[in-house]
């Protein structure tokens, strides 16, 4: 048979795939990456972030700044007469965000009332219960005989904890909350409204907080024990040296040197939120969204949720009715 008469079997080439027809040794294993990308793009992504801190620390503003959208509860459900609740309330609101064809369901969980009372004893308990309730809901879906193909994920992937910019040390409330909650969720501590501190005060405060975290055995994200290899450790060590992030949030736009920026205007000048010379917001954004989002979700599923699941299954071995009846 001549060359021109040979039967031709067309091979559909996917978008982004390279033609390796001339490479005799090529098998095509690398195409799995493109397949995974296409599947992920179809399914979209989920991210559940909890914000915890007393009133007036700019939690809503920071969330709006992070996603450059009105995603905070107060932005969507404004209440000009909102008063400090007598007990901690857990309120969540979800948004569908799309950027360059990538869809994400973002859920922001707010905790109004935390740290605002005269007596804040055990104020971490409703938050701990909420986090465990989400694990329980996921577990109940998992153990169903006819479970869903894709289980809705309401588990809290990350908790941003807002530290008041006192410049001195952590309060007993801060220590107790992070000590208990770091065992069940990824905690990322931030110094709120960091523009109220001088650079020297900020550096001293950050160093003091890191020492207090170590002294109290508080392991915030990224946890050293979960570094996968030397490269991970090197990257995460740099992040650990910066924690807590000193942040400033603003959803106000200004023109600076012909460029649109997010910032806060004072009589001394404009504080540029995304300028690392002014604050560490950009480092926080990169950690949560651009570099570690998937890792944060992986640790939630493979470490925190897994510990909860094992504990509950062990309980059910002792008393089988507990796995079904507990809510």
């Amino acid at each position: 048979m001549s060359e021109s008469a040979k039967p031709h079997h067309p091979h559909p080439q996917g978008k982004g795939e390279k033609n390796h027809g001339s490479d005799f040794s090529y098998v095509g294993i690398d195409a799995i990456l493109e397949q995974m990308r296409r599947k992920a793009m179809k399914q979209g992504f989920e991210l559940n972030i909890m914000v915890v801190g007393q009133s007036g620390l700019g939690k809503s503003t920071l969330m709006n700044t992070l996603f450059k959208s009105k995603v905070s509860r107060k932005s969507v459900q404004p209440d000009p007469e909102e008063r400090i609740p007598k007990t901690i309330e857990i309120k969540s609101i979800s948004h569908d965000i799309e950027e360059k064809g990538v869809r994400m369901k973002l859920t922001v969980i707010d905790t109004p009332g935390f740290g605002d009372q005269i007596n804040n004893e055990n104020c971490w308990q409703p938050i701990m219960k909420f986090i465990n309730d989400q694990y329980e809901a996921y577990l109940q879906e998992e153990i169903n005989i006819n479970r869903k193909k894709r289980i809705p994920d309401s588990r809290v992937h990350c908790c941003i904890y807002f530290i008041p910019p006192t410049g001195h040390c952590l309060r007993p409330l801060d220590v107790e909350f992070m000590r208990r909650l770091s065992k069940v969720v990824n905690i990322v501590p931030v110094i709120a409204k960091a523009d109220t501190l001088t650079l020297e005060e900020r550096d001293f405060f950050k160093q003091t907080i890191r020492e207090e975290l170590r002294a109290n055995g508080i392991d915030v994200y990224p946890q050293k024990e979960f570094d996968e290899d030397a490269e991970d450790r090197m990257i995460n060590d740099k992040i650990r040296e910066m924690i807590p992030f000193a942040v400033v949030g603003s959803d106000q736009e200004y023109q600076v040197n012909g460029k649109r920026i997010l910032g806060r205007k004072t009589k001394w000048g404009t504080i540029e939120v995304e300028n690392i010379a002014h604050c560490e917001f950009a480092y926080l954004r990169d950690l949560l969204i651009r570099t570690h989002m998937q890792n944060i979700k992986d640790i939630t599923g493979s470490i925190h949720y897994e510990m909860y699941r094992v504990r509950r299954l062990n309980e059910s071995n002792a008393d089988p009715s507990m796995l079904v009846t507990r809510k």
Side-chain angles (χ1 to χ4, degrees):
M1 186 181 287
S2 66
E3 188 71 25
S4 59
K6 284 184 180 178
H8 176 64
H9 300 288
H11 170 67
Q13 188 171 323
K15 187 179 178 182
E17 292 178 5
K18 295 179 181 178
N19 185 1
H20 294 274
S22 59
D23 185 354
F24 178 77
S25 63
Y26 179 71
V27 176
I29 297 170
D30 61 337
I32 187 66
L33 297 175
E34 177 61 22
Q35 295 169 41
M36 291 169 68
R37 188 193 71 83
R38 284 202 300 264
K39 184 177 180 181
M41 292 280 282
K42 283 180 184 176
Q43 289 182 341
F45 301 89
E46 294 172 319
L47 181 65
N48 306 321
I49 296 182
M50 174 179 275
V51 290
V52 179
Q54 67 188 61
S55 301
L57 291 180
K59 300 187 296 294
S60 298
T61 303
L62 185 72
M63 293 309 297
N64 292 343
T65 312
L66 267 174
F67 294 95
K68 295 188 177 177
S69 304
K70 301 289 186 182
V71 297
S72 69
R73 176 184 58 85
K74 285 186 177 179
S75 299
V76 179
Q77 302 169 341
D79 182 0
E81 297 184 4
E82 183 175 55
R83 290 175 173 80
I84 295 172
K86 292 181 180 178
T87 57
I88 295 174
E89 300 173 3
I90 312 289
K91 298 183 177 181
S92 62
I93 190 156
S94 297
H95 306 265
D96 290 315
I97 300 175
E98 185 168 337
E99 183 180 60
K100 294 184 178 179
V102 179
R103 291 178 295 107
M104 184 173 76
K105 181 185 177 185
L106 171 70
T107 301
V108 179
I109 303 131
D110 198 0
T111 55
F114 176 85
D116 293 327
Q117 314 304 322
I118 295 173
N119 181 4
N120 289 302
E121 187 179 4
N122 297 332
C123 65
W124 48 268
Q125 286 182 342
I127 297 171
M128 174 81 87
K129 181 180 183 303
F130 177 86
I131 291 170
N132 283 332
D133 283 349
Q134 308 320 302
Y135 290 151
E136 183 67 24
Y138 197 89
L139 176 63
Q140 291 299 329
E141 288 287 352
E142 263 194 340
I143 63 176
N144 278 339
I145 295 173
N146 298 315
R147 64 182 179 182
K148 296 171 184 172
K149 186 177 179 181
R150 192 176 182 200
I151 298 174
D153 190 1
S154 63
R155 297 171 296 182
V156 179
H157 299 127
C158 178
C159 171
I160 304 178
Y161 186 73
F162 287 70
I163 300 168
T166 62
H168 303 299
C169 60
L170 292 175
R171 303 166 301 169
L173 171 62
D174 302 325
V175 172
E176 188 67 8
F177 177 88
M178 288 191 281
R179 187 176 67 80
R180 291 180 180 273
L181 272 292
S182 61
K183 293 178 173 64
V184 298
V185 71
N186 297 310
I187 289 185
V188 176
V190 300
I191 299 171
K193 297 190 172 181
D195 53 325
T196 60
L197 301 170
T198 66
L199 293 178
E200 292 77 13
E201 288 170 338
R202 188 180 85 179
D203 291 342
F204 174 78
F205 194 28
K206 281 164 63 76
Q207 180 61 33
T208 302
I209 290 171
R210 283 194 294 269
E211 290 171 359
E212 289 190 85
L213 291 175
R214 278 193 294 269
N216 288 281
I218 298 169
D219 207 6
V220 298
Y221 184 85
Q223 302 92 332
K224 200 170 224 174
E225 63 179 304
F226 304 144
D227 291 344
E228 293 183 1
D229 50 38
E231 184 185 6
D232 257 12
R233 191 170 301 112
M234 186 175 67
I235 293 169
N236 290 341
D237 277 344
K238 291 179 181 176
I239 295 170
R240 285 187 276 263
E241 288 169 7
M242 284 190 286
I243 282 178
F245 298 106
V247 298
V248 177
S250 174
D251 46 17
Q252 297 296 311
E253 286 189 8
Y254 297 97
Q255 289 279 341
V256 175
N257 298 326
K259 290 196 308 183
R260 289 169 60 199
I261 61 108
L262 289 172
R264 294 188 63 232
K265 208 162 194 172
T266 71
K267 60 182 179 180
W268 299 282
T270 303
I271 299 162
E272 299 176 33
V273 167
E274 296 180 280
N275 186 337
I276 57 174
H278 293 189
C279 77
E280 295 171 337
F281 168 82
Y283 294 127
L284 173 67
R285 177 202 58 207
D286 289 354
L287 177 76
L288 293 177
I289 302 171
R290 300 185 181 182
T291 62
H292 284 63
M293 182 196 289
Q294 188 58 49
N295 183 253
I296 286 171
K297 294 179 65 176
D298 288 345
I299 288 179
T300 299
S302 62
I303 306 295
H304 296 305
Y305 169 68
E306 190 63 17
M307 288 175 65
Y308 179 87
R309 189 184 72 87
V310 168
R311 177 168 60 82
R312 291 284 288 114
L313 293 177
N314 282 335
E315 288 174 357
S316 72
N317 286 337
D319 182 0
S321 65
M322 288 186 69
L323 196 58
V324 180
T325 57
R326 181 174 169 179
K327 293 291 179 185

